[in-house]
């Protein structure tokens, strides 16, 4: 257990629905990252927060995706109008630049 | 060409064998090199990190970085069935005048250690 928690652990949704995932980081870590991992691939960077500021977004993050980190604590990732291509494991990580600790992930299945 | 290349395997070895896992990379800005272990349907677990070139040892695990060749390795000695997992290399560093230290991962190598 890294101390990073994610909820829900698994989400099944129908195409076109909106979904929201939550990440609760290790409390003293001000850096928070979201990654996406598809089957047979390594995780790919989506977005990065330092405290409450979202400082970088990957081109993978289309305008259907939005992320927030109010007050620099927990973070949410919302996907609007889900598509089958959004099916993946969504991972949250916090930590130092060279020691990122991952949560267990949220597995999204879009039917 | 992807920034980080990793042979996906699968790799199957007998218990007690020495395992060698490798990654190559193309971006010379990478400074931090990490190895993660990922069990099926779980999040990646940090095993080791190394800064710049050199070796680092932790129990049965040894990480090596050769920046001149852009090549990193993870060695597992006396491999155990519980080591069966996917091993991911990851890297980060300064780019474009700054860095958020986002990680760039290889595809992962699936390792099976047979009793």
């Amino acid at each position: 257990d890294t101390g990073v928690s994610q909820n829900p652990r698994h989400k099944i949704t129908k195409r076109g629905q909106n979904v929201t995932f939550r990440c609760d980081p290790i409390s003293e870590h001000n850096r928070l990252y979201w990654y996406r991992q598809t089957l047979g691939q390594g995780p790919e960077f989506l977005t990065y927060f330092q405290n409450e500021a979202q400082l970088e977004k990957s081109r993978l993050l289309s305008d259907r995706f939005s992320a927030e980190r109010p007050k620099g604590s927990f973070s949410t990732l919302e996907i609007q109008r889900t598509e089958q291509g959004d099916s993946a494991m969504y991972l949250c990580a916090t930590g130092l630049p060279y020691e990122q600790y991952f949560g267990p992930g949220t597995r999204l299945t879009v039917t | 060409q992807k920034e980080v290349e990793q042979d996906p395997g699968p790799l199957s070895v007998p218990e007690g064998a020495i395992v060698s896992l490798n990654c190559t990379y193309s971006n010379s800005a990478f400074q931090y090199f990490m190895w993660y272990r990922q069990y099926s349907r779980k999040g990646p677990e940090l095993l080791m990190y190394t800064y710049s070139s050199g070796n680092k040892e932790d129990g049965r695990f040894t990480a090596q970085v050769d920046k001149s060749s852009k090549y990193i390795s993870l060695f597992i000695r006396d491999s155990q069935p519980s080591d069966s997992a996917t091993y991911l290399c990851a890297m980060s560093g300064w780019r474009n005048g700054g860095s958020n230290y986002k990680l760039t991962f290889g595809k992962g190598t699936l390792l099976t250690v047979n009793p």
Side-chain angles (χ1 to χ4, degrees):
Chain A
D1 184 2
T2 61
V4 181
S5 61
Q6 291 188 248
N7 288 288
R9 295 292 306 277
H10 193 184
K11 178 72 175 178
I12 301 173
T13 191
K14 293 186 177 179
R15 186 163 51 101
Q17 298 295 304
N18 298 346
V19 294
T20 300
F21 313 138
R22 176 176 170 130
C23 170
D24 286 274
I26 297 170
S27 59
E28 59 266 31
H29 289 169
N30 57 15
R31 294 170 178 259
L32 186 147
Y33 304 81
W34 284 97
Y35 295 83
R36 181 173 69 186
Q37 185 176 25
T38 54
L39 201 60
Q41 303 295 318
E44 292 179 291
F45 170 77
L46 290 178
T47 190
Y48 159 67
F49 289 86
Q50 180 142 355
N51 299 312
E52 67 275 11
Q54 186 175 19
L55 297 184
E56 184 172 343
K57 294 192 288 186
S58 163
R59 58 179 170 76
L60 293 176
L61 216 64
S62 76
D63 55 9
R64 296 185 298 106
F65 287 70
S66 63
E68 293 182 339
R69 192 181 182 196
K71 301 179 183 177
S73 56
F74 69 92
S75 178
T76 58
L77 178 68
E78 181 183 15
I79 309 175
Q80 296 183 327
R81 304 181 304 281
T82 52
E83 302 173 355
Q84 287 189 315
D86 297 331
S87 294
M89 172 85 92
Y90 290 84
L91 294 159
C92 170
T94 71
L96 301 171
Y98 42 84
E99 283 188 86
Q100 289 186 28
Y101 296 97
F102 283 81
T106 295
R107 182 170 298 278
L108 174 65
T109 303
V110 182
T111 61
Chain B
Q1 181 190 10
K2 298 195 84 149
E3 281 191 294
V4 180
E5 299 279 359
Q6 182 176 10
D7 185 343
L11 183 61
S12 181
V13 301
E15 183 175 354
I18 296 175
V19 176
S20 172
L21 303 165
N22 311 293
C23 289
T24 59
Y25 63 96
S26 58
N27 190 338
S28 56
F30 289 138
Q31 301 171 298
Y32 295 101
F33 304 91
M34 285 134 276
W35 287 96
Y36 284 85
R37 177 173 63 195
Q38 186 174 29
Y39 294 110
S40 182
R41 297 182 176 268
K42 304 287 186 185
E45 171 194 359
L46 179 63
L47 284 175
M48 301 178 70
Y49 73 87
T50 312
Y51 173 69
S52 194
S53 285
N55 294 358
K56 188 172 185 177
E57 187 173 321
D58 184 1
R60 296 185 296 110
F61 298 89
T62 299
Q64 289 185 349
V65 174
D66 181 349
K67 289 192 73 177
S68 62
S69 303
K70 296 189 175 68
Y71 187 88
I72 71 170
S73 302
L74 178 71
F75 298 96
I76 307 174
R77 291 183 298 280
D78 187 24
S79 55
Q80 304 295 309
S82 58
D83 294 329
S84 299
T86 295
Y87 289 80
L88 296 153
C89 63
M91 309 177 188
S92 71
W94 287 87
R95 5 178 168 188
N96 300 327
S99 181
N100 58 31
Y101 294 104
K102 61 188 177 187
L103 298 180
T104 301
F105 283 85
K107 290 178 100 171
T109 300
L110 179 60
L111 171 68
T112 300
V113 181
N114 300 300

